Each structure stands twice: as C-alpha cells, then as structure tokens.
Amino acid sequence: MIRIGKPIIEKEDGITTFKAFINNDVEGRNEWLWYTTDEKWGDYFCPEVADAFVLPMILRAVKTYQNIVVESSISEKLFYNLNDSVLYAVTKAYEKKYGKQTGEVVKIECNSLVSTNYKPMAIGTGCSLGVDSFAVLKHHLLSDDCPPSYRITHLTLFNAGAFGSRDVEGARKSFQKEVEKTRLFANSIGIPFVWVDSNTRSFFPELSFDWCHTYLNMGIVLSMQKLWKKYLYASGYSLDNISFDIDYCAKYEPYLLPHISTESTELISASMNMRRSDKVKYISEDRLVQERLYVCLKEQQANNPNIKNKYQGSYLNCGHCKKCLRTMLQLEILGKLDLFKDIFDLSDWDKEREQYIADVIIGSKNNLMLANLYDSMLEHNYPIPSKSLQYVKKRRFHNRINYVLKRIGLK
Ligand SMILES: [Zn+2]
C-alpha cells in the first residue's frame, strides 16, 4: 500500500513548507512530499486535509495496484469521486493501453472525511506566458467578455515538473528564474502572484510529464484550498480531441478536473473551445502578447544532459526548438510572424522552414498538434513550398522501402 502520513507545516526564514511522509511499500520509496512558498501565501496551506498529497499518488497507485491509505483526513467530495469514479476510469484506461486485465481497482482509505468549505475568494491560473496561458489570460482578464465570477484575480507559477526532471537542481534554478519573470509580468498588470516550489515530480522518474502534469499541478492547487475558489487550468487540447488516453492526461482533463475538485476549490479546464491554431489567432493581435509571448523550451533543454546544442543567443524564444518552430509556422500561416520578430530568433527560419513544413505534413498523421497545424495551412490556403513537398515524397518513398525490406526480413 501507499501510506500518506499526516500533513504538517513548518516555517523557517520566511518560507513555509507543507509536507507529508509517503511510504510506498511495493516500490520501497519512503520520503517526504513537500510544497514550499513564501510566508504570506503559506498561510493558505490546508493541513486539515491530505488532498494535496493524494492527487500525486493516484497514478503511482494505479500503476502498481496499491491501495492508498491516508493517516489523516480527505475532503469528502474528493474521496467520493476518487473511489466511485476516477480510480476505476484511470485503471481501465491504463489496462487498455498496456494490455492488462486484472479486474483489480485500487481504493483510497482515510481516518476521517472533511466537508468544510473554507470560503476562498481567489480565481487563479498558471502564468507561463505561453500560448495556452495567454489564451486563458486574454479571455478571463484582459478582455471584457468573461462573467465576473470567472475573472482572474491571482497569477501562479508552480514547480511541478515543467522545468525538466533529470537535472532536479537545474530545473529548480530555471523555475526560480521564471518566478522572477512572472512576478515582473504580474506586477506590470497589477495582479498578485503566487509561486509554489515542490518535489512532486521526483515521485515519477519513469513517467513522461504528459502522463502526470494535471495530477501534479492540481495537487499544488489543492494544497491551498483556503485561497482558491476557482482555478483555471489551461487546456492543452480542444474538446474535439477528448479521449481517455492514459499517456496524455490533458486529453481527459474535462472529465478529471470536476472529479478532483473539492467543496472549496473548483478546478476548471479552461479554453477547451479553442484548438491551438485558434488560440494563436485569438492572442496574436494583442500588443502585450507580441512583447511577452514565451513558448521556448531552451530552459528545459539547458537542464537535459542528453541535448548537446543548447541555445546561446539572446532572444526570448530560441527559434529552433519544437515549440518555437510550431508557433513561428502558425504565426506565418496567419501572416503575423513579423509582429513577433523582436522576441523570436528568426535568423535560421528561412533555412529551416521548408524542412519543418515537410516534418509537419508527415507528422500530422500521428500527432494532434501537427495535425492542427497542417489543417490550419489548408484552411488559410498557405502556399506549401514545392521543396517541402519534395521532402515529403522522398521521406514517404524511404518509409515504404523500409517497410517492404522489413516485411521480407532484410531489415
Ligand atoms: Zn525555443
């Protein structure tokens, strides 16, 4: 079983730590899971319930068929929805993907249930300054078309694993750099900013971030149920791509978030009605976005020892990583790339563009983001360069030859 000890709070040098000890019997991992923030926000940590420590353990429990035993309390609503819905759904999705059929579904047990509403007041959202994040910000803060009770009052940045998982200290340094950047942005628009550091990602060394980011980030949100009335989590996929794919938790967020909300905190998958291309179009006219959009993976790559060519330039967005290329092409399709020339390094774009377009066309069969980009080219009558089409033809020819050689056993 996975045992979650009673959560405790510690204060030292202006930093508040909220932590619980985790005993994972099957995998032999026994250590503290912790969240830290500065003292001001630490007052909103919620030691009455262990919800913040339960969420990160869900996938671990499902993957290893261990029950979770909480040696304190859980929110009643969360307890009900986990045992009556989520654990069954996630187990079935896991077994379907990995060809298992055990008939087992793990359970959560606890000492007691709490159904208190802490009457929080804040409406929060993460502020990475990327496309998803700006789309949420624009609708829920910068424009006037949002109902008042959904208007953002606080911005956040969490270290739940988005800054890399291999080099933990490097990731932490990148997170701290981003905290300062986001703090400046929040100050510039007059919105309070909340940061939370955590070691939650280290409990999933073998799992990709796509598997687990919703559980880890929402665990951090539930650590502060006295603060968050609503929390808007920027959706990675639009509703037309919803599916119970265990490898991509973002695809089943519209189901998951209402089921891991509590009496106090409503978790919302935001901007589900927009595909990536719609979001880029929606935000690209905005002056603030033209100055601050930040999609680049350079920080994550700097913390990945397997990547040799790390970006050395001075632009905000390196112009070479997959997220930069994807965004630059989308902006070009919309005829807006020039508006972003001060924040994207476009020095190699002309050289790399044709090959990248070919990669998008080929990849569009198996990758939803690339499929959306290719659809957007067709929707906007974007002129596909003849060189790109030649690359595609050549690649498909090679793929066919390789397929035949494999079939006849020569490869
Ligand atoms: Zn980049």
Side-chain angles (χ1 to χ4, degrees):
M1 75 180 71
I2 294 175
R3 268 178 296 133
I4 299 174
K6 187 174 167 40
I8 56 171
I9 284 184
E10 288 172 351
K11 293 183 180 186
E12 197 180 341
D13 300 332
I15 296 291
T16 304
T17 301
F18 182 37
K19 62 183 189 177
F21 199 77
I22 310 290
N23 284 97
N24 180 334
D25 290 345
V26 168
E27 296 177 295
R29 284 196 64 180
N30 305 308
E31 58 190 292
W32 291 97
L33 169 52
W34 54 261
Y35 304 107
T36 61
T37 187
D38 54 36
E39 223 166 323
K40 176 183 172 189
W41 301 113
D43 289 344
Y44 294 94
F45 279 142
C46 204
E48 296 82 357
V49 286
D51 303 353
F53 304 95
V54 169
L55 287 194
M57 289 302 130
I58 290 174
L59 289 175
R60 279 255 73 89
V62 166
K63 200 165 177 259
T64 54
Y65 295 95
Q66 296 185 79
N67 283 349
I68 297 175
V69 175
V70 176
E71 294 174 338
S72 58
S73 304
I74 315 181
S75 291
E76 186 174 326
K77 185 174 172 181
L78 179 66
F79 177 82
Y80 173 80
N81 281 320
L82 290 181
N83 273 334
D84 280 56
S85 182
V86 174
L87 289 168
Y88 175 85
V90 177
T91 302
K92 293 299 162 192
Y94 172 67
E95 294 199 334
K96 188 177 168 196
K97 188 86 181 199
Y98 294 96
K100 297 187 174 186
Q101 212 169 2
T102 62
E104 287 176 49
V105 175
V106 297
K107 286 275 173 203
I108 293 202
E109 300 161 25
C110 64
N111 282 2
S112 60
L113 297 173
V114 172
S115 58
T116 312
N117 185 330
Y118 299 105
K119 306 270 186 240
M121 297 300 287
I123 315 296
T125 193
C127 187
S128 66
L129 302 176
V131 170
D132 295 326
S133 158
F134 260 124
V136 173
L137 275 183
K138 182 167 177 183
H139 179 40
H140 299 84
L141 182 66
L142 306 174
S143 58
D144 298 324
D145 59 350
C146 177
S149 71
Y150 287 81
R151 278 189 85 75
I152 291 163
T153 61
H154 292 60
L155 297 178
T156 71
L157 197 71
F158 300 154
N159 186 8
F163 302 91
S165 56
R166 290 189 176 94
D167 174 2
V168 175
E169 279 320 303
R172 183 143 292 115
K173 272 188 200 144
S174 295
F175 168 69
Q176 282 153 359
K177 254 199 250 175
E178 301 288 309
V179 162
E180 290 319 311
K181 188 146 57 96
T182 312
R183 193 196 305 278
L184 285 176
F185 176 78
N187 287 346
S188 73
I189 61 170
I191 295 279
F193 168 61
V194 183
W195 63 269
V196 181
D197 193 2
S198 171
N199 68 339
T200 189
R201 180 72 174 101
S202 70
F203 285 79
F204 299 87
E206 84 289 20
L207 294 180
S208 92
F209 198 48
D210 289 330
W211 245 76
C212 55
H213 63 84
T214 311
Y215 297 89
L216 306 190
N217 278 298
M218 295 305 98
I220 295 181
V221 175
L222 293 192
S223 73
M224 290 185 176
Q225 293 182 51
K226 291 170 183 168
L227 178 64
W228 304 120
K229 182 171 192 238
K230 290 187 173 77
Y231 193 88
L232 303 158
Y233 193 51
S235 66
Y237 295 97
S238 58
L239 270 174
D240 38 323
N241 292 312
I242 186 170
S243 72
F244 234 117
D245 183 347
I246 193 74
D247 287 345
Y248 296 91
C249 53
K251 290 187 185 174
Y252 61 94
E253 261 166 27
Y255 156 79
L256 185 63
L257 293 192
H259 285 87
I260 54 174
S261 296
T262 66
E263 288 80 353
S264 303
T265 303
E266 182 183 0
L267 305 173
I268 298 168
S269 187
S271 303
M272 289 182 291
N273 57 346
M274 284 191 264
R275 299 167 300 168
R276 171 62 55 121
S277 54
D278 302 323
K279 289 179 183 175
V280 175
K281 189 174 178 192
Y282 178 59
I283 63 174
S284 61
E285 288 289 344
D286 204 292
R287 185 105 193 105
L288 194 61
V289 179
Q290 291 162 12
E291 289 168 3
R292 310 298 276 271
L293 181 68
Y294 176 55
V295 298
C296 191
L297 293 172
K298 65 184 180 194
E299 286 292 343
Q300 287 89 329
Q301 292 180 345
N303 300 324
N304 186 342
N306 297 331
I307 291 187
K308 291 197 175 67
N309 296 323
K310 291 168 185 168
Y311 184 62
Q312 301 296 330
S314 58
Y315 279 82
L316 183 59
N317 295 281
C318 77
H320 295 92
C321 72
K322 67 175 184 180
K323 284 196 173 180
C324 278
L325 290 170
R326 194 168 77 193
T327 310
M328 285 153 58
L329 179 57
Q330 185 64 64
L331 288 166
E332 184 166 286
I333 293 167
L334 297 168
K336 309 269 195 233
L337 184 56
D338 200 43
L339 297 171
F340 290 81
K341 64 179 184 327
D342 293 338
I343 58 167
F344 279 87
D345 187 344
L346 298 177
S347 52
D348 290 327
W349 177 236
D350 282 343
K351 265 191 278 165
E352 292 178 356
R353 183 176 149 274
E354 287 158 340
Q355 180 64 57
Y356 182 63
I357 291 169
D359 292 345
V360 170
I361 296 171
I362 291 162
S364 63
K365 283 203 165 154
N366 312 310
N367 180 306
L368 278 177
M369 294 289 180
L370 299 184
N372 177 227
L373 201 46
Y374 185 43
D375 286 347
S376 186
M377 285 190 225
L378 302 178
E379 279 167 26
H380 290 83
N381 294 318
Y382 176 76
I384 297 172
S386 55
K387 251 195 179 168
S388 304
L389 294 172
Q390 281 168 18
Y391 287 135
V392 173
K393 253 190 196 168
K394 228 193 235 171
R395 185 92 61 85
R396 284 188 178 148
F397 179 72
H398 278 296
N399 288 349
R400 219 168 298 140
I401 295 278
N402 282 338
Y403 175 73
V404 172
L405 289 176
K406 261 187 202 159
R407 289 278 299 209
I408 60 175
L410 292 176
K411 208 164 182 185

